[in-house]
């Protein structure tokens, strides 16, 4: 039994059988029976013919064995077999071509072997083309609206930089909607696997069937028990040293509110945040430690603990930062410096003025080449004008308004576009999308051609690039007391206005084409930009903030990834419309086919 | 290659001047009608899908069992006579004694088969403009374009298999049954074998899934246009056409 279970035995049997069949076909008679008589003077002796046919068959079988060796062992193993096989057949064909008129069996052998060799060559070329397509053509064309089969550049960069194996374990949940959600998650993790098959392994565990495996998973990751709707375990590394995170499928989807009208009833729009969550978890696990973000508070900023979109608060962004591995701390500059271990400081829309001491502490942090994210948009001076001037920046007077791109008719709640051809990683994944910038001020880049920028001597080490601009229909309204804003050519400044910029430093000592710029500051001139309410209305704001943090940290791949939105459409059709939809094309089609058929019949009969 | 057009025209004329073409088209129209009826029925139920993967439009045509059965029957029926009929009636002799090469004959026959196959898909496409304009249903075009490309290359491969068996034998029934058997193997046996292997988590499940035509078309239907499948279809097509040419060449020598 063991003897027959070996693959080599079966290959030898198959080879023998193939030899006998091919020998029979070419010779015209099986072994042991005499072949047809060849009386032509030019025909060689019977024994010679049989040996030539046997040699051709052996050569062809060696070519087939070479193909098997290439598949099973590798190309190198196949080369000797291919060499001997092709060599034998080609030599025999060349020597015996002269007998093709006198010996039918040798003519058959020559023609058969030529066709077989050509076929083998063509098959080889086609196999190579397929192997190349399989290895290098794995990039599919994603023709879906929601880009369901594409990963963002951040995820691909994160996957390529993995140093340890990653296991993504999908576990099912209960409930009617659990299955389709898990299907979506599975499809996503397959994209991760395809992007780096050497590092990413995908496992499926059905808690209702794979009880043993589920118990093991529970033992390793007890949080799985809390994910009743199913989810995904991201495991970075192997064995004892592995780090794990649990993502609940319920947290990966945003479901629509109850429909209020027929139109909403027919459009079920969901948002899938899976890619953002999985990539963020991977990056967090890869880093292993939490990095600190300090929010500079004490100037009337909204509370960090409040997560309700109905109340003023910054809790939504805080929780998002924590999800991607940040430790959020609060700093009051009246009492302390920004601690040394803080990677980024955030000035989150102050309403009262910074004391000179506080501004100096902020500057000291910045002078240590530590990056800052600053959200200022107030028309009152908060005492940071000099600080911004050090980055070649100034906030202009007035509020940017836009009668066309605004939120719900409030013209100072402007939808501004992220640069469509950005040069830095903040805007790259979001290029062309719009963010909501409520009560934004225009930003002036000192020393540039932007309004108010001329005439100033800029800091030559700092380069500033616009990230977000309002539309050409916007303007900077300076008369803030008028209830109805109207463009006044004499006082107001016509748009587009810059409302977010990124500033980086080119070290003077390292000038050259390969010098790495140091990210220093991102300024968004809209104080409420990161408030819960606006992040809820426009999730792109959150993506831009995350991208800004990723860029400032020098890890652009850790920025936010835009969620994927899907709208499931229901066909709104009463019975009459349904009947028309089905019957009109059917009847037309039947008439057309029958008409064409009848016309053809009559024409042929005539 | 200048004779290809003439032979192609003759074959298409033969096909469309016979009642068989219209009968097959009527059968496909009936299947398309039932398929679309089912689709409308599903679409009018409230949709709560979470992604394009569960969109009922994705399974239009590609998920229809009747469509696949019809294709597995129609392609052998269309291709069985392309060369076998010429051999049975003896017209292949006059064709091959004319100054045309075997490659031209095979290419023309294959192209005729592909055109006939594409004509069979038209009844399914005719409903879509009505759904969009009359039903005001804004479905995604991308997956349908992907499906159309996938079904075309698949049809090219299937037709080349039919042409090969039609070249091998002069008995049309043998050609049709052989073609049906291979299509059945590619369609259903690979799908069932994959299900078996996937359930037992066997190592060869993934390679099987890659060659299983049903899953390939399902991927096309969801809007995932995988160039690897296209290369696979076209490679198989080229190889089968090469074999058909060789078979015809050997017949000429006999």
């Amino acid at each position: 039994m063991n003897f027959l279970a070996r693959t080599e035995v079966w290959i030898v049997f198959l080879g023998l059988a193939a030899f006998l069949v091919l020998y029979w076909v070419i010779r015209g008679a099986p072994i042991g029976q005499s072949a047809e008589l060849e009386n032509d003077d030019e025909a060689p002796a019977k024994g010679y013919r049989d040996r030539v046919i046997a040699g051709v068959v052996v050569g062809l079988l060696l070519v087939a064995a070479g193909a098997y060796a290439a598949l099973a062992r590798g190309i190198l193993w196949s080369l000797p077999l291919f060499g001997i096989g092709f060599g034998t057949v080609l030599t025999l064909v060349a020597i015996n071509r002269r007998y093709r008129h006198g010996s039918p069996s040798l003519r058959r052998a020559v023609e058969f072997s030529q066709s077989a060799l050509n076929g083998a060559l063509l098959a080889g070329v086609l196999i190579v083309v397929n192997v190349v397509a399989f290895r290098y053509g794995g990039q599919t064309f994603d023709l879906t609206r929601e880009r369901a089969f594409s990963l963002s550049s951040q995820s691909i960069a994160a996957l390529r930089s993995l140093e340890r194996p990653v296991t993504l374990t999908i576990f099912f949940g209960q409930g009617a909607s659990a299955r389709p959600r898990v299907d979506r998650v599975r499809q996503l993790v397959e994209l991760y696997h395809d992007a780096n098959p050497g590092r990413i392994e995908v496992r499926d565990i059905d808690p209702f069937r794979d009880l043993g495996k589920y118990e093991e998973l529970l033992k390793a990751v007890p949080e799985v028990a809390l994910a009743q709707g199913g989810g995904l375990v991201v495991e970075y590394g192997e064995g004892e040293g592995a780090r794990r995170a649990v993502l609940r499928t319920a947290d990966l989807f945003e479901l629509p509110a109850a429909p209020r009208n027929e139109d909403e009833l027919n459009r079920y729009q969901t948002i899938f945040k899976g890619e953002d969550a999985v990539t963020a978890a991977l990056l967090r696990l890869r880093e292993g430690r939490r990095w600190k973000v300090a929010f500079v508070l004490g100037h009337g900023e909204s509370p960090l603990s409040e997560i309700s979109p109905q109340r003023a608060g910054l809790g939504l962004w805080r929780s998002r930062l924590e999800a991607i591995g940040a430790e959020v701390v609060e700093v009051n500059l009246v009492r302390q410096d920004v601690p040394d271990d803080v990677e980024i400081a955030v000035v989150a829309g102050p309403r009262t003025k910074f004391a000179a001491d506080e501004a100096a502490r902020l500057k000291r942090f910045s002078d240590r080449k530590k990056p800052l994210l600053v959200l200022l948009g107030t028309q009152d001076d908060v005492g940071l004008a000099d600080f911004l001037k050090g980055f070649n920046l100034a906030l202009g007077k007035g509020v940017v308004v836009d009668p066309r791109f605004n939120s719900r008719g409030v013209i100072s709640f402007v939808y501004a576009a992220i640069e469509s051809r950005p040069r830095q990683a903040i805007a790259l994944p979001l290029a062309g999308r719009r963010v909501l910038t409520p009560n934004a001020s225009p930003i002036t880049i000192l020393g540039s051609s932007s309004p108010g920028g001329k005439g100033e001597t800029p800091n030559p080490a700092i380069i500033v690039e616009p990230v977000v601009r309002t539309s050409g229909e916007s303007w900077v309204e300076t008369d803030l007391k008028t209830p109805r804003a109207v463009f006044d050519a004499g006082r107001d400044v016509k748009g587009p206005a810059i409302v977010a910029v990124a500033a980086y430093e080119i070290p003077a000592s390292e000038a050259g084409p390969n010098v790495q710029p140091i990210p220093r500051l991102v300024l968004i001139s809209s104080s409420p930009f990161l408030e819960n309410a606006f992040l809820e209305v426009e999730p792109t704001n959150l993506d831009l903030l995350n991208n800004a943090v990723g860029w400032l940290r020098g890890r652009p791949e850790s920025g936010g990834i835009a969620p994927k939105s899907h709208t499931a459409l229901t066909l709104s059709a009463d019975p009459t419309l349904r009947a028309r939809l089905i019957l009109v094309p059917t009847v037309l089609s039947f008439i057309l086919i029958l008409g064409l058929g009848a016309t053809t019949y009559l024409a042929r009969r005539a | 290659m200048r004779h290809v057009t003439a032979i192609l025209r003759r074959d298409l004329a033969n096909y469309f001047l016979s009642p068989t073409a219209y009968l097959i088209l009527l059968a496909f129209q009936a299947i398309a009608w039932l398929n679309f009826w089912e689709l409308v029925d599903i679409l009018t139920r409230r949709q709560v899908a979470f992604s394009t993967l569960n969109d009922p439009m994705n399974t239009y045509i590609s998920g229809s069992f009747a469509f696949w059965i019809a294709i597995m029957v129609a392609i052998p029926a269309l291709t069985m006579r392309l060369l076998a009929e010429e051999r049975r009636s003896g017209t292949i002799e006059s064709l091959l004694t004319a100054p045309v090469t075997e490659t031209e004959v095979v290419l023309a026959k294959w192209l005729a088969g592909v055109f006939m196959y594409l004509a069979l898909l038209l009844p399914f496409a005719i409903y879509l403009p009505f759904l969009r304009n009359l039903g005001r249903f804004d479905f995604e075009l991308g997956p349908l374009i992907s499906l159309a490309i996938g079904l075309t290359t698949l049809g090219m491969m299937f037709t080349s298999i039919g042409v090969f068996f039609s070249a091998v034998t002069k008995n049309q029934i043998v050609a049709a049954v052989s073609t049906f058997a291979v299509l059945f193997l590619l369609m259903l046996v690979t799908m069932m074998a994959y299900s078996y292997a996937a359930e037992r988590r066997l190592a060869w499940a993934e390679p099987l899934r890659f060659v299983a035509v049903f899953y390939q078309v399902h991927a096309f239907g969801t809007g995932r246009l995988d160039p690897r499948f296209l290369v696979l279809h076209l490679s198989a097509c080229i190889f089968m056409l090469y074999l058909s040419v060789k078979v015809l060449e050997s017949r000429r020598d006999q």
Side-chain angles (χ1 to χ4, degrees):
Chain A
M1 285 299 280
N2 282 341
F3 177 73
L4 286 178
R6 294 180 63 175
T7 314
E8 296 83 359
V9 174
W10 285 100
I11 289 169
V12 171
F13 275 140
L14 268 176
L16 273 175
F19 175 85
L20 293 173
V21 171
L22 273 179
Y23 184 78
W24 184 350
V25 167
I26 297 175
R27 185 168 169 261
I31 288 177
Q33 279 187 21
S34 57
E36 58 188 308
L37 284 174
E38 293 179 3
N39 297 326
D40 196 291
D41 292 342
E42 287 182 23
K46 184 173 161 293
Y48 176 82
R49 291 199 311 261
D50 290 349
R51 284 195 299 279
V52 169
I53 291 169
V56 164
V57 172
V58 169
L60 291 175
L61 290 177
L62 281 173
V63 173
Y68 172 76
L71 285 174
R73 295 279 182 97
I75 297 288
L76 279 179
W77 284 85
S78 68
L79 292 180
L81 292 168
F82 277 139
I84 300 170
F86 274 105
T88 309
V89 178
L90 288 174
T91 311
L92 288 172
V93 166
I95 293 171
N96 295 287
R97 190 183 293 276
R98 61 195 154 121
Y99 300 123
R100 65 185 182 281
H101 299 301
S103 165
S105 59
L106 285 185
R107 185 171 63 238
R108 209 160 42 231
V110 167
E111 282 167 1
F112 185 86
S113 50
Q114 275 179 335
S115 295
L117 286 188
N118 287 340
L121 275 175
L122 179 69
V125 170
L126 293 175
I127 287 169
V128 168
V129 168
N130 275 274
V131 168
V132 170
F134 196 80
R135 192 163 288 179
Y136 303 106
Q139 188 67 44
T140 56
F141 297 100
D142 187 351
L143 300 185
T144 59
R145 254 182 222 159
E146 67 172 288
R147 312 284 298 152
F149 302 105
S150 308
L151 287 178
S152 68
S153 54
Q154 289 111 304
S155 296
I156 291 168
L159 288 167
R160 284 187 185 150
S161 64
L162 289 175
E163 289 147 8
R164 297 171 67 185
V166 170
T167 309
L168 302 172
T169 308
I170 304 161
F171 56 98
F172 303 167
Q174 288 174 309
S177 66
R179 192 86 201 187
R181 288 194 215 192
V182 166
D183 283 346
R184 180 70 180 93
V185 175
R186 181 185 293 110
Q187 186 261 331
L188 174 75
V189 299
E190 277 171 10
L191 292 181
Y192 277 74
H193 173 261
D194 292 345
N196 191 349
R199 287 276 188 223
I200 305 267
E201 188 193 341
V202 177
R203 290 169 64 205
D204 260 2
I205 291 183
D206 184 345
F208 310 105
R209 289 177 59 199
D210 307 322
L211 291 175
K213 286 183 183 170
Y214 186 62
E215 286 294 320
E216 271 177 41
L217 185 71
L218 274 178
K219 213 177 280 177
V221 199
E223 299 97 296
V224 166
L226 301 174
Q228 291 297 313
L232 178 72
V233 176
V234 183
E235 187 174 344
Y236 187 77
E238 288 172 306
E240 292 294 310
R243 298 193 280 266
R244 299 178 184 90
V246 179
L247 306 172
R248 301 186 310 164
T249 47
D251 296 333
L252 303 179
F253 293 89
E254 271 180 26
L255 305 185
R260 286 169 295 185
N261 52 45
E262 199 189 348
D263 187 47
E264 285 184 4
L265 197 69
N266 293 333
R267 298 175 69 83
Y268 185 78
Q269 187 171 21
T270 53
I271 291 171
F272 180 54
K273 301 178 289 185
E275 188 185 350
D276 192 30
V278 175
T279 301
L282 271 177
L283 293 169
R284 190 173 70 231
L285 296 172
R286 192 187 68 183
E287 282 197 33
R289 63 175 183 89
R290 291 195 167 262
W291 43 278
K292 274 191 183 170
V293 177
F295 276 70
V296 177
L297 299 180
H299 305 90
E301 293 88 351
S302 300
L304 276 173
S305 53
E306 181 57 64
I307 57 162
S308 168
Q310 277 77 43
R311 298 194 203 97
L314 311 176
L316 277 183
W317 191 38
R318 179 205 175 122
S319 56
R320 179 73 188 97
L321 281 172
E322 286 172 343
I324 59 172
E327 180 186 348
V328 176
V329 294
E330 297 180 14
V331 170
N332 191 323
L333 294 175
V334 175
R335 292 194 289 268
Q336 60 176 130
D337 271 313
V338 183
D340 271 344
D341 58 349
V342 164
E343 283 196 27
I344 297 175
V346 179
V347 177
R351 295 192 180 103
T352 58
K353 198 168 179 175
F354 278 64
D357 226 24
E358 290 178 283
R361 281 183 157 152
L362 200 61
K363 187 165 183 316
R364 272 207 294 279
F365 175 76
S366 175
D367 287 345
R368 298 201 301 264
K369 309 282 184 205
K370 295 277 187 121
L372 285 113
L373 173 59
V374 178
L375 290 104
L376 291 176
T378 174
Q379 280 65 60
D380 297 326
D381 178 22
V382 291
L384 294 178
D386 285 341
F387 175 76
L388 291 181
K389 203 173 172 183
F391 290 99
N392 302 335
L393 292 168
L395 286 180
K397 296 279 181 206
V399 176
V400 183
V401 293
D402 193 324
R404 186 174 172 207
F405 296 103
N406 58 53
S407 175
R408 299 182 184 186
V410 183
I411 60 170
S412 63
F413 285 13
V414 174
Y415 270 108
I418 298 169
E419 291 285 278
S420 56
R421 274 182 291 177
R423 278 184 281 175
Q424 40 7 62
I426 302 176
L428 207 57
L430 304 169
R433 294 177 66 183
R434 289 182 180 272
V435 284
L436 180 54
T437 55
N439 301 327
S441 301
I443 296 175
T444 302
I445 301 172
L446 303 178
S448 75
S449 57
S450 64
K454 289 176 187 165
E456 295 281 346
T457 312
N459 177 352
I462 298 290
I463 310 281
V464 180
E465 282 177 6
V467 174
V468 180
R469 273 183 225 258
T470 57
S471 77
E473 292 173 47
S474 67
W475 72 87
V476 181
E477 179 61 49
T478 46
D479 183 5
L480 302 176
K481 289 177 183 148
T482 318
R484 189 178 163 77
V486 179
F487 179 67
D488 178 347
R491 293 168 54 187
D492 301 335
V493 181
K494 191 91 185 90
I498 299 168
V499 290
V501 292
Y504 55 88
E505 184 181 337
I506 303 288
S509 57
E510 298 173 27
N514 297 325
V515 67
Q516 285 294 315
I518 305 168
R520 296 294 304 277
L521 177 97
V522 170
L523 171 65
I524 299 173
S525 63
S526 163
S527 297
F529 185 88
L530 73 174
E531 290 277 351
N532 294 342
F534 294 109
L535 296 187
E536 175 86 355
V537 172
E538 184 45 69
T540 314
N541 283 22
L542 189 61
D543 298 334
L544 186 72
L545 287 169
N546 289 335
N547 283 7
V549 167
W551 180 72
L552 288 169
R553 291 184 66 220
R555 288 180 169 80
E557 79 278 8
S558 68
I561 296 164
K564 286 174 176 167
S565 165
H566 174 70
T567 306
L569 297 172
T570 302
L571 176 65
S572 173
D574 56 29
T576 317
L577 179 59
R578 282 179 64 175
R580 279 170 62 201
L581 261 179
I582 296 167
L583 289 178
V584 170
T586 307
V587 171
L588 279 177
S589 208
F590 271 116
I591 290 172
L592 186 72
I593 296 168
L594 288 173
L596 277 173
T599 311
T600 311
Y601 173 75
L602 291 175
R604 290 197 73 183
R605 210 170 157 214
Chain B
M1 288 296 146
R2 61 202 161 90
H3 301 111
V4 171
T5 326
I7 304 171
L8 170 65
R9 207 177 294 144
R10 191 194 71 162
D11 272 307
L12 285 177
N14 274 349
Y15 175 65
F16 284 106
L17 291 178
S18 75
T20 322
Y22 300 97
L23 289 175
I24 294 180
L25 270 173
L26 277 177
F28 267 75
Q29 183 59 61
I31 293 167
W33 173 31
L34 295 175
N35 205 354
F36 185 71
W37 190 340
E38 190 186 6
L39 177 74
V40 168
D41 197 40
I42 294 170
L43 288 176
T44 45
R45 292 180 213 150
R46 188 159 184 253
Q47 299 297 312
V48 286
F50 294 96
S51 79
T52 183
L53 299 174
N54 307 106
D55 191 335
M57 286 300 292
N58 290 348
T59 49
Y60 179 56
I61 308 179
S62 64
S64 163
F65 186 68
F67 170 78
W68 288 115
I69 294 293
I71 283 291
M72 282 196 294
V73 173
I75 286 184
L78 289 176
T79 55
M80 65 182 187
R81 56 189 299 280
L82 287 173
L83 285 162
E85 173 66 12
E86 301 259 19
R87 286 186 59 206
R88 192 194 59 79
S89 61
T91 48
I92 192 80
E93 311 299 337
S94 51
L95 191 60
L96 292 179
T97 47
V100 290
T101 62
E102 285 81 359
T103 311
E104 285 174 328
V105 173
V106 168
L107 265 184
K109 297 283 178 185
W110 171 70
L111 279 174
V114 171
F115 281 127
M116 294 170 201
Y117 162 82
L118 291 177
L120 298 183
L121 299 183
L122 286 178
F124 292 88
I126 206 163
Y127 289 97
L128 298 173
F130 286 88
L131 182 62
R132 182 173 272 263
N133 297 317
L134 191 61
R136 299 194 182 289
F137 189 75
D138 182 28
F139 56 80
E140 281 194 62
L141 281 177
L144 289 169
I145 292 169
S146 162
L147 180 67
I149 294 171
L151 283 177
T152 304
T153 57
L154 184 77
M156 288 159 89
M157 179 174 80
F158 280 2
T159 310
S160 69
I161 293 168
V163 169
F164 170 72
F165 284 113
S166 182
V168 166
T169 173
K170 59 179 155 188
N171 185 328
Q172 291 187 31
I173 302 300
V174 172
V177 170
S178 309
T179 309
F180 178 83
V182 174
L183 300 194
F184 184 81
L185 186 86
L186 288 172
M187 281 296 308
L188 293 177
V189 175
T190 48
M191 186 177 76
M192 289 188 287
Y194 167 70
S195 302
Y196 173 86
E199 194 143 304
R200 283 154 187 79
R201 295 178 187 177
L202 302 175
W204 40 275
E206 272 313 299
L208 256 180
R209 188 182 176 186
F210 182 71
V211 294
V213 166
F214 184 82
Y215 291 108
Q216 292 171 0
V217 176
H218 179 71
F220 287 128
T222 55
R224 188 177 194 176
L225 187 62
D226 194 333
R228 294 174 302 178
F229 295 147
L230 302 184
V231 171
L232 184 70
H233 292 168
L234 295 178
S235 301
C237 180
I238 290 169
F239 192 68
M240 295 313 289
L241 290 180
Y242 169 80
L243 290 184
S244 308
V245 171
K246 286 291 151 194
V247 170
L248 268 199
E249 278 176 1
S250 70
R251 299 284 179 224
R252 187 209 282 263
D253 293 341
Q254 283 169 12

